[in-house]
Amino acid sequence: MLQEDEGEYQLDRISDLPDDVLLDIVERLDAADAARTVILSRRWKQIPTMLSQILIMVGSADNVQERSDDDVARANAAVLEAARSLLERRSATSPYAIRRLCMRFFLGVGSVGIGQACANAMAAQKVGVVVEFTILTEKEGIRCSPDDRLTYGTRLNSLVNDCPDAFSCLTRLKLENLSLGESDFPRIFTLCKRLQFLHLDNCDMGFQSLLEVEHPRLRELEVFRCDWRVI
C-alpha cells in the first residue's frame, strides 16, 4: 500500500510541474511517444498541442534495404496516426504556432493520408516557418531498376496531384529514386512556391537529360547519383 501511495505521489509531482517544464520533457520525445502522453492525465492532454517543433520520422532505425507493401503500409500508418494526434488536436486559434514541421514517410500506401493531414494543418494556419517532406522509396537506391524509378515517379506525381496544398507550403523537399517526365520537375517547382531547399538522390528524367531549375526562393540544391547531363 505504501509503495502504491508513493507511486501516485510521484505521478502527481510530475503533473504539477509548470507547463514550460512539461513541454520541454515532451519535446525531447519522438513523435509517437509525444502523441501517447495525452493518455497520462487531463493535464498532459494539452501539452502536445503546445509543441513548436514536430518531427515525425519513419525508418530512422530501419536498415531493411527492400520492404514489402505491407511494411510500407504499417510504417506510414504509424506516421499518419502520430500526425493526426499531434496536428488535429490543435485549435486554429491556439497561441502556440508550429514553427517547424518535418515529415519523413514512404511513397506508397498511406502517403496521401499523410499529405492531406499536413495540408489540413497548414490550411488552419497551425504551421509556420519550416515545412519539410522527406519521401522515401521501398527499395534502397542501388537496388532500384529503371522500371522501379519510373514506378516511384508515377507515385510521386499521384501524390502531388492528390495533395497540392501540402506541397505548396513546403520549404524543404527531399526525394530519392525517381524518374520523372520532362514537364514533371518544372510543375513541382511551380507548385512548391515556398521551396528553399531541394535534395535529389538517384533521380532523373531519362539518361543524360537536362534539368532546368528556376525558382525565386530556392537557395540550396543538393544532387547525388543523378544522370543529368546539365543542371
Side-chain angles (χ1 to χ4, degrees):
M1 180 66 70
L2 180 59
Q3 290 181 346
E4 182 177 343
D5 291 342
E6 288 179 352
E8 292 179 358
Y9 176 66
Q10 290 174 353
L11 178 60
D12 288 341
R13 288 185 63 185
I14 294 175
S15 297
D16 286 341
L17 292 171
D19 282 351
D20 59 339
V21 176
L22 293 179
L23 183 59
D24 184 64
I25 293 172
V26 174
E27 284 188 331
R28 297 170 187 270
L29 303 175
D30 64 34
D33 288 336
R36 294 188 190 104
T37 60
V38 300
I39 68 174
L40 295 178
S41 71
R42 187 174 298 176
R43 172 80 191 289
W44 281 85
K45 189 174 183 178
Q46 301 303 317
I47 299 301
T49 67
M50 300 163 62
L51 293 170
S52 62
Q53 298 188 70
I54 296 179
L55 285 69
I56 306 178
M57 306 291 199
V58 70
S60 57
D62 182 3
N63 293 319
V64 179
Q65 293 181 321
E66 187 170 347
R67 306 161 188 87
S68 68
D69 288 342
D70 288 341
D71 294 332
V72 169
R74 282 193 294 270
N76 278 354
V79 170
L80 180 57
E81 180 182 1
R84 285 176 171 169
S85 178
L86 294 173
L87 296 176
E88 294 181 2
R89 295 177 188 273
R90 303 175 81 103
S91 168
T93 59
S94 171
Y96 303 101
I98 302 172
R99 296 196 307 271
R100 184 183 179 203
L101 173 63
C102 297
M103 307 290 296
R104 181 166 67 190
F105 56 94
F106 288 113
L107 186 61
V109 178
S111 56
V112 171
I114 295 169
Q116 290 174 343
C118 294
N120 292 339
M122 297 169 196
Q125 299 181 341
K126 300 174 186 177
V127 181
V129 180
V130 176
V131 183
E132 176 179 312
F133 278 4
T134 298
I135 304 177
L136 308 176
T137 56
E138 297 167 11
K139 292 183 179 180
E140 199 273 338
I142 61 173
R143 293 174 175 262
C144 285
S145 68
D147 286 343
D148 290 327
R149 293 199 298 271
L150 284 170
T151 297
Y152 296 144
T154 300
R155 290 183 185 177
L156 178 67
N157 278 325
S158 296
L159 179 61
V160 172
N161 291 335
D162 289 335
C163 306
D165 292 340
F167 280 84
S168 67
C169 293
L170 294 180
T171 58
R172 297 173 61 88
L173 178 60
K174 299 179 181 180
L175 301 172
E176 66 175 14
N177 308 325
L178 302 168
S179 285
L180 295 172
E182 290 185 4
S183 63
D184 293 330
F185 272 117
R187 182 173 66 90
I188 292 172
F189 296 152
T190 300
L191 181 60
C192 299
K193 299 176 182 179
R194 300 180 58 215
L195 195 65
Q196 299 177 16
F197 172 87
L198 177 63
H199 172 97
L200 301 173
D201 184 358
N202 196 30
C203 299
D204 63 57
M205 296 184 299
F207 181 69
Q208 293 289 292
S209 54
L210 172 67
L211 175 65
E212 295 184 10
V213 180
E214 294 184 12
H215 197 289
R217 295 196 177 186
L218 190 66
R219 299 176 181 175
E220 190 171 356
L221 173 64
E222 292 184 350
V223 178
F224 297 95
R225 300 185 298 176
C226 295
D227 286 333
W228 284 302
R229 175 172 52 86
V230 178
I231 298 177

